[in-house]
Amino acid sequence: MYRTIQQSLLVRIQAILKSKYDITLTNLVVEQPPTIALGELALPVAFELAKRLRKAPRAIATELATELSTQLPEDVASVEVAGAGYLNIRLNRTAIARQIAADQHANIGGPGFRLVEHTSINPNKAAHIGHLRNAILGDTFQRLLRPDTYKTGFPVGVQNYIDNTGVQVADVVVGLVHLEGKNLSSTRELLTQLLETNQRIDFYCWDLYARVSQWYAADPDQIAARKQIRLDTLHALETGNNDTGEIADLIATAVLRRHLETMQRLNIEYDFLPRESEILNLHFWDAARTLMLEKGVLYLETAGKNKGCYVMRRAGNENLIAHEGTDPDQPDEDAKVIVRSNGTVTYVGKDIAYHLWKFGLLPGKDFGYKRFFEYPRPSATNNQQPKTKNQQPTTHTCWISTSAPSEPGHPSFGHADHIYNVIDSRQNDPQNNVVAALRGMGYTEAADNYTHFSYEMVALTPRCAIELGYPISEEDQKRPYIEVSGRKGFGVKADDLIDRLTAAAKSEVDTRHPDLTDTERETIAKQIAVGALRYFMLRYTRNTVIAFDFKDALSFEGETGPYVQYAIVRAANIFRKAETNPEAALANFATLSNDALAEILDTEDGASLWETWLLASKLTLLIDQCLNTAEPAYLAKYAFQLAQQFNNFYHRHHILNETNPTRKAFLLATAAVAQREMTRALAYLGIEAPPVM
């Protein structure tokens, strides 16, 4: 609602500026006054115009206030000039409160298919805590984009890119073959044995990956030979149609299923899993190479350290086509290698081909599609529409790429208008080179609509590392965080982390609610654990290193998921004790007269109540801010602030003991609005509100 008022005011201001001064401003800033006594919005537009009009800001503000006051919308009570030239806007609290209670919101979204790619874990070992930040950020962002409660949003697809032919998978194959003595047949037997004994293949590979990483450098005399084994294995994976490739496919597919199960525990689902093997087998790269050569972006280096490689100019030099303007006898040593001299394609090369497909710029090329994973209930991430008005989908299908013909009924993937890639900041250079390739080929619009949704790493606090049983030196205990390393086997497996958080939450729920059934307590514990973990990962801005700590994440106090969940439960308790519900409270509120509402809102005491309503009205404003900045942390902060505001309201106003029926109806409606918007905010963050805490 707040955003709707902002938009209408800005339109009105722009019209006045055009008619009165023949000025158009591309950006009009809207602020909130330091106290609500000064109004609900403040416009510093007069300061922006002062130099251009050669007038004092206050004089301009006075002129604008006069123009605005001649035709005020119903939502606005008054316009005042404040300070050196601010336009302070006071809202009609009664009218706005009715619109908030009636659940009226600003529209967000529009046409244009948005493709969000996130998680993208190498299928060579169990997911760890660092992967969770990627997945939670990406899942939250796609929730913000999708059509939802407000019937607005964008068409969205969620993809999880699977690098099943890369060096990490090759390392696990090396470990199986050269450390474990496995072949194709015994690898199949291993998978069957692990399945029958309820052991996890991703956990098995976690340890094997650390072992093979150490094996490469264990014998100084064998380092070169062992690294050659890795290169030969990698080449076999990329070539395909051999036992080495089949072993890799068996392991990568089994680990991938575990990854999806892990993410499902956090309410994270996917629409499509494009695999690198198909990019190679279906010759996406060959088509991309031809296109890049035709556009002059890719060229064969004939001298220097990259002799025999196909290279392209790095980001920042994308306008330098091939050797144009340079001496061909003096090679560009900083050029990015796309195809190695041995014929293998680098990560960046395959990524360029993949993104050309994403944007629909790879003519004649598409994946085959087959069903891979079924989510057992309709999902918040499900774009598949029911066949009839009353028929809802019973599952959400996750599809995977294949070299074979597509299964019937597959959705359409690719052809995105905007792409968001959730990849950590250490991949800035490869991401920049993909954009440079697009721009160099003349696909300027695609390059402009390509967003690297970067983030910093997740580490552990020393206290958390000690809790997990890792030996920490006295020096490391003084550091703010301890970095994790998959190659060294040092880190927190995602499932272990979720299990520990759930067990800790379950202990609290068991103590507080022994009257509930085991199933109810288990469900609530999972909701609290997932809320704690997701909120912890989202509360920090993306460019902040996170030091994870069990105690901090699970706290019921401070800026945590459980704190917001507890505020929602507190609101629910109010309605339970009042023997009513939020819907009835809002319906009763609608019957109150304007005079009765004004007697409550337009008073000094009513100002504190109005602050709760005003903050609750800002959810769509925050969603818009998150989308414009690609920063979900703003919504996490908002959810916490709204929970704080509600808790202050709860302690200040004794709703159940209120004897004035009109005032009690208003207080119950306040609780209903706050609870509704807190619940929605958490839903966008992928967090459920439990019935009790």
Side-chain angles (χ1 to χ4, degrees), residues 473-517:
S473 67
E474 289 188 14
E475 182 180 354
D476 282 344
Q477 290 180 33
K478 299 175 183 177
R479 295 171 57 193
Y481 57 82
I482 309 294
E483 294 184 30
V484 300
S485 170
R487 288 193 176 275
K488 296 177 182 178
F490 176 78
V492 185
K493 299 184 188 75
D495 282 285
D496 286 347
L497 173 61
I498 298 168
D499 288 344
R500 288 180 67 106
L501 288 170
T502 303
K506 179 73 160 43
S507 177
E508 287 290 330
V509 175
D510 287 346
T511 300
R512 299 180 186 205
H513 302 284
D515 54 311
L516 298 178
T517 66

mmCIF file of all heavy atoms in Angstrom, residues 473-517:
data_model
loop_
_atom_site.group_PDB
_atom_site.id
_atom_site.type_symbol
_atom_site.label_atom_id
_atom_site.label_comp_id
_atom_site.label_asym_id
_atom_site.label_seq_id
_atom_site.Cartn_x
_atom_site.Cartn_y
_atom_site.Cartn_z
ATOM 1 N N SER A 473 43.576 -24.555 16.626
ATOM 2 C CA SER A 473 44.711 -24.047 17.390
ATOM 3 C C SER A 473 44.296 -22.833 18.207
ATOM 4 O O SER A 473 43.265 -22.204 17.941
ATOM 5 C CB SER A 473 45.856 -23.665 16.444
ATOM 6 O OG SER A 473 45.483 -22.547 15.648
ATOM 7 N N GLU A 474 45.104 -22.492 19.200
ATOM 8 C CA GLU A 474 44.804 -21.317 20.024
ATOM 9 C C GLU A 474 44.781 -20.050 19.182
ATOM 10 O O GLU A 474 43.974 -19.144 19.412
ATOM 11 C CB GLU A 474 45.850 -21.189 21.143
ATOM 12 C CG GLU A 474 45.723 -22.252 22.224
ATOM 13 C CD GLU A 474 46.654 -21.968 23.392
ATOM 14 O OE1 GLU A 474 47.179 -20.836 23.477
ATOM 15 O OE2 GLU A 474 46.858 -22.880 24.217
ATOM 16 N N GLU A 475 45.670 -20.006 18.198
ATOM 17 C CA GLU A 475 45.711 -18.837 17.315
ATOM 18 C C GLU A 475 44.425 -18.731 16.496
ATOM 19 O O GLU A 475 43.842 -17.653 16.364
ATOM 20 C CB GLU A 475 46.916 -18.936 16.379
ATOM 21 C CG GLU A 475 47.062 -17.742 15.445
ATOM 22 C CD GLU A 475 48.272 -17.859 14.526
ATOM 23 O OE1 GLU A 475 49.058 -18.822 14.706
ATOM 24 O OE2 GLU A 475 48.423 -17.000 13.644
ATOM 25 N N ASP A 476 43.957 -19.881 15.956
ATOM 26 C CA ASP A 476 42.733 -19.869 15.156
ATOM 27 C C ASP A 476 41.499 -19.557 16.005
ATOM 28 O O ASP A 476 40.512 -19.016 15.497
ATOM 29 C CB ASP A 476 42.544 -21.213 14.454
ATOM 30 C CG ASP A 476 43.429 -21.354 13.230
ATOM 31 O OD1 ASP A 476 43.955 -20.326 12.760
ATOM 32 O OD2 ASP A 476 43.609 -22.497 12.748
ATOM 33 N N GLN A 477 41.548 -19.906 17.291
ATOM 34 C CA GLN A 477 40.413 -19.631 18.168
ATOM 35 C C GLN A 477 40.190 -18.131 18.358
ATOM 36 O O GLN A 477 39.104 -17.705 18.757
ATOM 37 C CB GLN A 477 40.614 -20.308 19.522
ATOM 38 C CG GLN A 477 40.510 -21.823 19.468
ATOM 39 C CD GLN A 477 40.703 -22.466 20.824
ATOM 40 O OE1 GLN A 477 40.328 -21.901 21.850
ATOM 41 N NE2 GLN A 477 41.301 -23.649 20.841
ATOM 42 N N LYS A 478 41.204 -17.327 18.061
ATOM 43 C CA LYS A 478 41.096 -15.881 18.208
ATOM 44 C C LYS A 478 40.606 -15.209 16.920
ATOM 45 O O LYS A 478 40.299 -14.018 16.917
ATOM 46 C CB LYS A 478 42.447 -15.287 18.597
ATOM 47 C CG LYS A 478 42.976 -15.807 19.931
ATOM 48 C CD LYS A 478 44.376 -15.272 20.212
ATOM 49 C CE LYS A 478 44.947 -15.849 21.501
ATOM 50 N NZ LYS A 478 46.334 -15.376 21.739
ATOM 51 N N ARG A 479 40.524 -15.983 15.835
ATOM 52 C CA ARG A 479 40.096 -15.419 14.547
ATOM 53 C C ARG A 479 38.575 -15.271 14.507
ATOM 54 O O ARG A 479 37.857 -15.999 15.200
ATOM 55 C CB ARG A 479 40.564 -16.320 13.402
ATOM 56 C CG ARG A 479 42.070 -16.404 13.260
ATOM 57 C CD ARG A 479 42.461 -17.473 12.256
ATOM 58 N NE ARG A 479 41.850 -17.236 10.947
ATOM 59 C CZ ARG A 479 41.813 -18.135 9.969
ATOM 60 N NH1 ARG A 479 42.327 -19.338 10.174
ATOM 61 N NH2 ARG A 479 41.251 -17.840 8.817
ATOM 62 N N PRO A 480 38.073 -14.349 13.682
ATOM 63 C CA PRO A 480 36.605 -14.176 13.600
ATOM 64 C C PRO A 480 35.919 -15.357 12.928
ATOM 65 O O PRO A 480 34.750 -15.620 13.190
ATOM 66 C CB PRO A 480 36.441 -12.889 12.779
ATOM 67 C CG PRO A 480 37.729 -12.751 12.018
ATOM 68 C CD PRO A 480 38.791 -13.331 12.897
ATOM 69 N N TYR A 481 36.631 -16.062 12.046
ATOM 70 C CA TYR A 481 36.025 -17.221 11.396
ATOM 71 C C TYR A 481 37.108 -18.167 10.885
ATOM 72 O O TYR A 481 38.273 -17.790 10.716
ATOM 73 C CB TYR A 481 35.111 -16.797 10.237
ATOM 74 C CG TYR A 481 35.768 -15.967 9.153
ATOM 75 C CD1 TYR A 481 36.520 -16.571 8.137
ATOM 76 C CD2 TYR A 481 35.623 -14.585 9.125
ATOM 77 C CE1 TYR A 481 37.116 -15.818 7.146
ATOM 78 C CE2 TYR A 481 36.211 -13.821 8.129
ATOM 79 C CZ TYR A 481 36.954 -14.439 7.140
ATOM 80 O OH TYR A 481 37.539 -13.691 6.150
ATOM 81 N N ILE A 482 36.680 -19.409 10.637
ATOM 82 C CA ILE A 482 37.556 -20.450 10.109
ATOM 83 C C ILE A 482 37.009 -20.865 8.750
ATOM 84 O O ILE A 482 35.848 -21.253 8.635
ATOM 85 C CB ILE A 482 37.606 -21.692 11.038
ATOM 86 C CG1 ILE A 482 37.905 -21.284 12.479
ATOM 87 C CG2 ILE A 482 38.602 -22.709 10.517
ATOM 88 C CD1 ILE A 482 39.277 -20.705 12.689
ATOM 89 N N GLU A 483 37.840 -20.797 7.714
ATOM 90 C CA GLU A 483 37.397 -21.167 6.374
ATOM 91 C C GLU A 483 37.249 -22.683 6.248
ATOM 92 O O GLU A 483 37.981 -23.443 6.877
ATOM 93 C CB GLU A 483 38.381 -20.661 5.320
ATOM 94 C CG GLU A 483 38.438 -19.146 5.220
ATOM 95 C CD GLU A 483 39.343 -18.677 4.096
ATOM 96 O OE1 GLU A 483 39.463 -19.421 3.094
ATOM 97 O OE2 GLU A 483 39.929 -17.597 4.221
ATOM 98 N N VAL A 484 36.283 -23.102 5.422
ATOM 99 C CA VAL A 484 36.068 -24.527 5.183
ATOM 100 C C VAL A 484 36.742 -24.919 3.872
ATOM 101 O O VAL A 484 37.000 -24.076 3.018
ATOM 102 C CB VAL A 484 34.567 -24.876 5.128
ATOM 103 C CG1 VAL A 484 33.890 -24.532 6.430
ATOM 104 C CG2 VAL A 484 33.883 -24.153 3.979
ATOM 105 N N SER A 485 37.015 -26.207 3.719
ATOM 106 C CA SER A 485 37.678 -26.704 2.512
ATOM 107 C C SER A 485 37.193 -28.109 2.211
ATOM 108 O O SER A 485 37.433 -29.037 2.987
ATOM 109 C CB SER A 485 39.202 -26.700 2.682
ATOM 110 O OG SER A 485 39.830 -27.386 1.622
ATOM 111 N N GLY A 486 36.500 -28.252 1.071
ATOM 112 C CA GLY A 486 36.025 -29.571 0.668
ATOM 113 C C GLY A 486 37.164 -30.508 0.335
ATOM 114 O O GLY A 486 37.112 -31.703 0.627
ATOM 115 N N ARG A 487 38.232 -29.994 -0.279
ATOM 116 C CA ARG A 487 39.357 -30.849 -0.656
ATOM 117 C C ARG A 487 40.058 -31.420 0.578
ATOM 118 O O ARG A 487 40.615 -32.515 0.547
ATOM 119 C CB ARG A 487 40.367 -30.066 -1.501
ATOM 120 C CG ARG A 487 39.865 -29.782 -2.905
ATOM 121 C CD ARG A 487 40.978 -29.308 -3.816
ATOM 122 N NE ARG A 487 40.497 -29.122 -5.182
ATOM 123 C CZ ARG A 487 40.411 -30.086 -6.089
ATOM 124 N NH1 ARG A 487 40.775 -31.319 -5.754
ATOM 125 N NH2 ARG A 487 39.971 -29.840 -7.294
ATOM 126 N N LYS A 488 40.013 -30.648 1.675
ATOM 127 C CA LYS A 488 40.630 -31.130 2.912
ATOM 128 C C LYS A 488 39.643 -31.882 3.789
ATOM 129 O O LYS A 488 40.013 -32.405 4.839
ATOM 130 C CB LYS A 488 41.201 -29.939 3.692
ATOM 131 C CG LYS A 488 42.323 -29.210 2.970
ATOM 132 C CD LYS A 488 42.795 -28.000 3.779
ATOM 133 C CE LYS A 488 43.888 -27.244 3.024
ATOM 134 N NZ LYS A 488 44.321 -26.025 3.784
ATOM 135 N N GLY A 489 38.375 -31.925 3.353
ATOM 136 C CA GLY A 489 37.355 -32.596 4.154
ATOM 137 C C GLY A 489 36.966 -31.818 5.388
ATOM 138 O O GLY A 489 36.340 -32.352 6.307
ATOM 139 N N PHE A 490 37.321 -30.526 5.422
ATOM 140 C CA PHE A 490 37.009 -29.687 6.579
ATOM 141 C C PHE A 490 35.792 -28.840 6.243
ATOM 142 O O PHE A 490 35.837 -28.012 5.332
ATOM 143 C CB PHE A 490 38.199 -28.785 6.911
ATOM 144 C CG PHE A 490 37.931 -27.815 8.038
ATOM 145 C CD1 PHE A 490 37.970 -28.247 9.348
ATOM 146 C CD2 PHE A 490 37.630 -26.491 7.789
ATOM 147 C CE1 PHE A 490 37.720 -27.367 10.389
ATOM 148 C CE2 PHE A 490 37.378 -25.598 8.811
ATOM 149 C CZ PHE A 490 37.431 -26.048 10.116
ATOM 150 N N GLY A 491 34.702 -29.052 6.952
ATOM 151 C CA GLY A 491 33.495 -28.290 6.698
ATOM 152 C C GLY A 491 32.297 -28.967 7.321
ATOM 153 O O GLY A 491 32.425 -29.964 8.029
ATOM 154 N N VAL A 492 31.142 -28.432 7.045
ATOM 155 C CA VAL A 492 29.900 -28.959 7.609
ATOM 156 C C VAL A 492 29.022 -29.455 6.469
ATOM 157 O O VAL A 492 28.629 -28.673 5.598
ATOM 158 C CB VAL A 492 29.139 -27.871 8.393
ATOM 159 C CG1 VAL A 492 27.910 -28.468 9.064
ATOM 160 C CG2 VAL A 492 30.036 -27.216 9.425
ATOM 161 N N LYS A 493 28.728 -30.735 6.466
ATOM 162 C CA LYS A 493 27.790 -31.255 5.480
ATOM 163 C C LYS A 493 26.420 -30.631 5.748
ATOM 164 O O LYS A 493 25.996 -30.494 6.894
ATOM 165 C CB LYS A 493 27.700 -32.774 5.563
ATOM 166 C CG LYS A 493 29.003 -33.519 5.297
ATOM 167 C CD LYS A 493 28.759 -35.017 5.307
ATOM 168 C CE LYS A 493 30.060 -35.808 5.240
ATOM 169 N NZ LYS A 493 30.799 -35.802 6.521
ATOM 170 N N ALA A 494 25.733 -30.287 4.671
ATOM 171 C CA ALA A 494 24.438 -29.605 4.809
ATOM 172 C C ALA A 494 23.458 -30.439 5.620
ATOM 173 O O ALA A 494 22.762 -29.916 6.503
ATOM 174 C CB ALA A 494 23.868 -29.300 3.428
ATOM 175 N N ASP A 495 23.378 -31.736 5.355
ATOM 176 C CA ASP A 495 22.428 -32.580 6.079
ATOM 177 C C ASP A 495 22.785 -32.704 7.553
ATOM 178 O O ASP A 495 21.900 -32.743 8.414
ATOM 179 C CB ASP A 495 22.347 -33.959 5.430
ATOM 180 C CG ASP A 495 21.497 -33.942 4.178
ATOM 181 O OD1 ASP A 495 20.260 -33.880 4.290
ATOM 182 O OD2 ASP A 495 22.080 -33.966 3.079
ATOM 183 N N ASP A 496 24.071 -32.778 7.856
ATOM 184 C CA ASP A 496 24.486 -32.822 9.264
ATOM 185 C C ASP A 496 24.075 -31.541 9.979
ATOM 186 O O ASP A 496 23.623 -31.568 11.133
ATOM 187 C CB ASP A 496 26.005 -33.007 9.362
ATOM 188 C CG ASP A 496 26.442 -34.425 9.026
ATOM 189 O OD1 ASP A 496 25.571 -35.312 8.954
ATOM 190 O OD2 ASP A 496 27.654 -34.634 8.823
ATOM 191 N N LEU A 497 24.242 -30.419 9.283
ATOM 192 C CA LEU A 497 23.873 -29.128 9.866
ATOM 193 C C LEU A 497 22.369 -29.061 10.128
ATOM 194 O O LEU A 497 21.926 -28.671 11.227
ATOM 195 C CB LEU A 497 24.290 -28.002 8.922
ATOM 196 C CG LEU A 497 23.842 -26.589 9.289
ATOM 197 C CD1 LEU A 497 24.410 -26.176 10.632
ATOM 198 C CD2 LEU A 497 24.263 -25.603 8.204
ATOM 199 N N ILE A 498 21.568 -29.468 9.138
ATOM 200 C CA ILE A 498 20.115 -29.446 9.310
ATOM 201 C C ILE A 498 19.701 -30.379 10.443
ATOM 202 O O ILE A 498 18.822 -30.051 11.252
ATOM 203 C CB ILE A 498 19.415 -29.828 7.994
ATOM 204 C CG1 ILE A 498 19.744 -28.807 6.900
ATOM 205 C CG2 ILE A 498 17.898 -29.893 8.189
ATOM 206 C CD1 ILE A 498 19.333 -29.240 5.501
ATOM 207 N N ASP A 499 20.335 -31.552 10.517
ATOM 208 C CA ASP A 499 20.020 -32.511 11.584
ATOM 209 C C ASP A 499 20.306 -31.922 12.961
ATOM 210 O O ASP A 499 19.505 -32.069 13.896
ATOM 211 C CB ASP A 499 20.827 -33.800 11.399
ATOM 212 C CG ASP A 499 20.336 -34.634 10.220
ATOM 213 O OD1 ASP A 499 19.218 -34.392 9.753
ATOM 214 O OD2 ASP A 499 21.104 -35.516 9.777
ATOM 215 N N ARG A 500 21.450 -31.250 13.091
ATOM 216 C CA ARG A 500 21.819 -30.684 14.393
ATOM 217 C C ARG A 500 20.873 -29.559 14.796
ATOM 218 O O ARG A 500 20.467 -29.451 15.957
ATOM 219 C CB ARG A 500 23.265 -30.173 14.363
ATOM 220 C CG ARG A 500 24.318 -31.274 14.340
ATOM 221 C CD ARG A 500 25.707 -30.661 14.318
ATOM 222 N NE ARG A 500 25.999 -29.961 15.560
ATOM 223 C CZ ARG A 500 26.826 -30.417 16.502
ATOM 224 N NH1 ARG A 500 27.408 -31.588 16.353
ATOM 225 N NH2 ARG A 500 27.064 -29.707 17.589
ATOM 226 N N LEU A 501 20.531 -28.710 13.843
ATOM 227 C CA LEU A 501 19.607 -27.620 14.143
ATOM 228 C C LEU A 501 18.230 -28.166 14.506
ATOM 229 O O LEU A 501 17.573 -27.672 15.436
ATOM 230 C CB LEU A 501 19.498 -26.688 12.938
ATOM 231 C CG LEU A 501 20.708 -25.793 12.649
ATOM 232 C CD1 LEU A 501 20.555 -25.115 11.298
ATOM 233 C CD2 LEU A 501 20.912 -24.755 13.743
ATOM 234 N N THR A 502 17.787 -29.197 13.781
ATOM 235 C CA THR A 502 16.481 -29.793 14.065
ATOM 236 C C THR A 502 16.467 -30.439 15.441
ATOM 237 O O THR A 502 15.489 -30.312 16.200
ATOM 238 C CB THR A 502 16.117 -30.831 12.987
ATOM 239 O OG1 THR A 502 16.130 -30.198 11.697
ATOM 240 C CG2 THR A 502 14.732 -31.408 13.229
ATOM 241 N N ALA A 503 17.555 -31.142 15.796
ATOM 242 C CA ALA A 503 17.631 -31.795 17.106
ATOM 243 C C ALA A 503 17.598 -30.762 18.229
ATOM 244 O O ALA A 503 16.928 -30.964 19.254
ATOM 245 C CB ALA A 503 18.903 -32.641 17.192
ATOM 246 N N ALA A 504 18.316 -29.642 18.034
ATOM 247 C CA ALA A 504 18.329 -28.596 19.058
ATOM 248 C C ALA A 504 16.940 -27.970 19.204
ATOM 249 O O ALA A 504 16.463 -27.728 20.323
ATOM 250 C CB ALA A 504 19.354 -27.528 18.695
ATOM 251 N N ALA A 505 16.280 -27.708 18.072
ATOM 252 C CA ALA A 505 14.926 -27.148 18.125
ATOM 253 C C ALA A 505 13.951 -28.147 18.745
ATOM 254 O O ALA A 505 13.062 -27.774 19.524
ATOM 255 C CB ALA A 505 14.473 -26.757 16.722
ATOM 256 N N LYS A 506 14.116 -29.428 18.421
ATOM 257 C CA LYS A 506 13.222 -30.472 18.942
ATOM 258 C C LYS A 506 13.320 -30.552 20.460
ATOM 259 O O LYS A 506 12.307 -30.748 21.159
ATOM 260 C CB LYS A 506 13.605 -31.814 18.317
ATOM 261 C CG LYS A 506 12.785 -33.023 18.785
ATOM 262 C CD LYS A 506 11.391 -33.015 18.203
ATOM 263 C CE LYS A 506 10.727 -34.385 18.243
ATOM 264 N NZ LYS A 506 10.885 -35.140 19.464
ATOM 265 N N SER A 507 14.524 -30.384 20.977
ATOM 266 C CA SER A 507 14.709 -30.418 22.423
ATOM 267 C C SER A 507 13.897 -29.316 23.102
ATOM 268 O O SER A 507 13.254 -29.537 24.139
ATOM 269 C CB SER A 507 16.195 -30.276 22.764
ATOM 270 O OG SER A 507 16.388 -30.237 24.159
ATOM 271 N N GLU A 508 13.903 -28.122 22.511
ATOM 272 C CA GLU A 508 13.141 -27.000 23.068
ATOM 273 C C GLU A 508 11.636 -27.254 22.950
ATOM 274 O O GLU A 508 10.875 -27.012 23.891
ATOM 275 C CB GLU A 508 13.506 -25.715 22.325
ATOM 276 C CG GLU A 508 14.882 -25.161 22.654
ATOM 277 C CD GLU A 508 14.950 -24.596 24.055
ATOM 278 O OE1 GLU A 508 13.912 -24.101 24.555
ATOM 279 O OE2 GLU A 508 16.030 -24.648 24.664
ATOM 280 N N VAL A 509 11.195 -27.743 21.778
ATOM 281 C CA VAL A 509 9.771 -27.992 21.558
ATOM 282 C C VAL A 509 9.273 -29.092 22.494
ATOM 283 O O VAL A 509 8.166 -29.005 23.054
ATOM 284 C CB VAL A 509 9.508 -28.360 20.085
ATOM 285 C CG1 VAL A 509 8.042 -28.739 19.881
ATOM 286 C CG2 VAL A 509 9.874 -27.195 19.165
ATOM 287 N N ASP A 510 10.074 -30.144 22.696
ATOM 288 C CA ASP A 510 9.677 -31.235 23.592
ATOM 289 C C ASP A 510 9.464 -30.727 25.015
ATOM 290 O O ASP A 510 8.523 -31.135 25.710
ATOM 291 C CB ASP A 510 10.751 -32.330 23.604
ATOM 292 C CG ASP A 510 10.769 -33.137 22.319
ATOM 293 O OD1 ASP A 510 9.806 -33.041 21.543
ATOM 294 O OD2 ASP A 510 11.766 -33.861 22.089
ATOM 295 N N THR A 511 10.338 -29.806 25.447
ATOM 296 C CA THR A 511 10.248 -29.273 26.807
ATOM 297 C C THR A 511 9.022 -28.377 26.970
ATOM 298 O O THR A 511 8.327 -28.442 27.989
ATOM 299 C CB THR A 511 11.524 -28.470 27.140
ATOM 300 O OG1 THR A 511 12.662 -29.334 27.035
ATOM 301 C CG2 THR A 511 11.451 -27.888 28.539
ATOM 302 N N ARG A 512 8.741 -27.570 25.945
ATOM 303 C CA ARG A 512 7.676 -26.575 26.055
ATOM 304 C C ARG A 512 6.288 -27.142 25.730
ATOM 305 O O ARG A 512 5.288 -26.614 26.195
ATOM 306 C CB ARG A 512 7.971 -25.393 25.119
ATOM 307 C CG ARG A 512 9.272 -24.667 25.444
ATOM 308 C CD ARG A 512 9.503 -23.514 24.500
ATOM 309 N NE ARG A 512 10.823 -22.902 24.716
ATOM 310 C CZ ARG A 512 11.122 -21.645 24.416
ATOM 311 N NH1 ARG A 512 10.205 -20.864 23.894
ATOM 312 N NH2 ARG A 512 12.330 -21.175 24.629
ATOM 313 N N HIS A 513 6.256 -28.190 24.901
ATOM 314 C CA HIS A 513 4.952 -28.689 24.438
ATOM 315 C C HIS A 513 4.884 -30.217 24.522
ATOM 316 O O HIS A 513 4.704 -30.895 23.492
ATOM 317 C CB HIS A 513 4.692 -28.217 23.000
ATOM 318 C CG HIS A 513 4.710 -26.739 22.837
ATOM 319 N ND1 HIS A 513 3.662 -25.938 23.235
ATOM 320 C CD2 HIS A 513 5.667 -25.903 22.341
ATOM 321 C CE1 HIS A 513 3.966 -24.672 22.982
ATOM 322 N NE2 HIS A 513 5.179 -24.632 22.439
ATOM 323 N N PRO A 514 4.989 -30.768 25.726
ATOM 324 C CA PRO A 514 4.918 -32.233 25.862
ATOM 325 C C PRO A 514 3.540 -32.795 25.507
ATOM 326 O O PRO A 514 3.403 -33.999 25.291
ATOM 327 C CB PRO A 514 5.244 -32.455 27.343
ATOM 328 C CG PRO A 514 4.849 -31.171 28.013
ATOM 329 C CD PRO A 514 5.162 -30.095 27.021
ATOM 330 N N ASP A 515 2.529 -31.917 25.449
ATOM 331 C CA ASP A 515 1.172 -32.370 25.135
ATOM 332 C C ASP A 515 0.973 -32.685 23.655
ATOM 333 O O ASP A 515 0.021 -33.382 23.283
ATOM 334 C CB ASP A 515 0.161 -31.296 25.549
ATOM 335 C CG ASP A 515 0.485 -29.935 24.930
ATOM 336 O OD1 ASP A 515 1.659 -29.518 25.023
ATOM 337 O OD2 ASP A 515 -0.424 -29.297 24.368
ATOM 338 N N LEU A 516 1.862 -32.212 22.800
ATOM 339 C CA LEU A 516 1.730 -32.465 21.364
ATOM 340 C C LEU A 516 2.214 -33.865 21.007
ATOM 341 O O LEU A 516 3.010 -34.470 21.732
ATOM 342 C CB LEU A 516 2.532 -31.429 20.575
ATOM 343 C CG LEU A 516 2.115 -29.957 20.728
ATOM 344 C CD1 LEU A 516 3.035 -29.065 19.910
ATOM 345 C CD2 LEU A 516 0.663 -29.767 20.286
ATOM 346 N N THR A 517 1.752 -34.370 19.868
ATOM 347 C CA THR A 517 2.203 -35.686 19.418
ATOM 348 C C THR A 517 3.645 -35.607 18.929
ATOM 349 O O THR A 517 4.170 -34.519 18.637
ATOM 350 C CB THR A 517 1.324 -36.200 18.268
ATOM 351 O OG1 THR A 517 1.512 -35.348 17.114
ATOM 352 C CG2 THR A 517 -0.149 -36.199 18.664
#
